[in-house]
Amino acid sequence: MNTNTHRKNRFLTFCFSCIPGAGQMYLGFLKRGSSLLLLFSGIIAIAGSLNLEFLLFLIPVLWFFSFFDALNINGMPDETYHNLSDGFLMPDNAELPQHFNLQGYRIPFAVLTILFGIIWLLQNVSDLFTRLGIPYLGYYLRHITSVFPQLILSIALIWLGIHLIAAKNKELMQDEEEKSGKGDPS
């Protein structure tokens, strides 16, 4: 009696699992697989085009997660497998906690998007200067724009850290006020 009717060919599962997301898609989890594939490709594209090599440490982590996730899904008992839902890795707004408001991050995200767009434009202009026979201007422009992504990302990370600490402190202060307000007989 075969108790695991959902299992696919183990060799093909192994082969597809070597490509992040492909194993999940082979097993029928298209949203999960496409999320992993897009995330894997996106990290490589962002790290390569914006000279953010430090992001490349995420590549082996994501690869191993995807590889073993696909093998794990294929090896699940039928009951567990059928209870597993296919979903994107990034939650929808409905799945986010209520206190996590994405509207508050629209302006910083827009500023970062504009800055990275300007940097990318300047990098392309520097290539154009080099091709037009003005190599010095192209070289200096390329050198300057290669430093900006790291600088912008560093500032954004510092801002995010300060913002998160300030939000946590505000939450702790509100909790303290609520506790002191409840203990006060009025």
Side-chain angles (χ1 to χ4, degrees):
M1 181 176 165
N2 187 1
T3 59
N4 294 314
T5 58
H6 72 277
R7 286 196 180 163
K8 300 258 184 163
N9 182 299
R10 289 172 55 178
F11 177 72
L12 288 177
T13 301
F14 175 81
C15 290
F16 282 117
S17 296
C18 291
I19 302 169
Q24 286 79 0
M25 287 189 263
Y26 173 68
L27 295 171
F29 293 90
L30 297 178
K31 291 178 182 176
R32 187 180 195 134
S34 59
S35 294
L36 286 167
L37 185 59
L38 183 64
L39 185 60
F40 186 81
S41 304
I43 290 171
I44 291 172
I46 290 170
S49 65
L50 297 177
N51 297 322
L52 301 173
E53 292 86 13
F54 69 89
L55 288 178
L56 294 176
F57 83 92
L58 295 171
I59 295 298
V61 173
L62 189 59
W63 186 89
F64 278 107
F65 171 78
S66 178
F67 180 79
F68 288 111
D69 182 55
L71 295 179
N72 184 41
I73 290 172
N74 196 39
M76 287 180 174
D78 276 343
E79 183 179 327
T80 308
Y81 176 83
H82 292 300
N83 289 332
L84 192 62
S85 63
D86 185 21
F88 294 108
L89 292 180
M90 298 304 287
D92 296 333
N93 282 344
E95 297 174 2
L96 290 172
Q98 292 298 329
H99 67 276
F100 189 76
N101 183 0
L102 294 177
Q103 291 296 330
Y105 297 100
R106 185 172 21 150
I107 292 175
F109 182 73
V111 169
L112 285 176
T113 305
I114 291 168
L115 288 174
F116 282 121
I118 290 170
I119 290 167
W120 198 10
L121 176 69
L122 290 175
Q123 286 175 347
N124 288 320
V125 168
S126 72
D127 290 342
L128 180 65
F129 284 148
T130 303
R131 289 184 186 136
L132 289 175
I134 314 170
Y136 292 111
L137 186 56
Y139 170 77
Y140 289 121
L141 192 56
R142 176 60 92 169
H143 184 67
I144 290 169
T145 58
S146 70
V147 176
F148 277 129
Q150 292 99 351
L151 181 65
I152 292 170
L153 194 58
S154 301
I155 292 169
L157 288 173
I158 291 169
W159 174 84
L160 180 63
I162 291 170
H163 180 73
L164 291 173
I165 290 171
K168 186 64 178 176
N169 283 341
K170 183 178 178 182
E171 182 181 314
L172 289 173
M173 295 290 282
Q174 288 175 348
D175 288 346
E176 284 295 320
E177 288 175 5
E178 288 176 8
K179 286 180 184 177
S180 66
K182 288 181 182 177
D184 188 22
S186 318

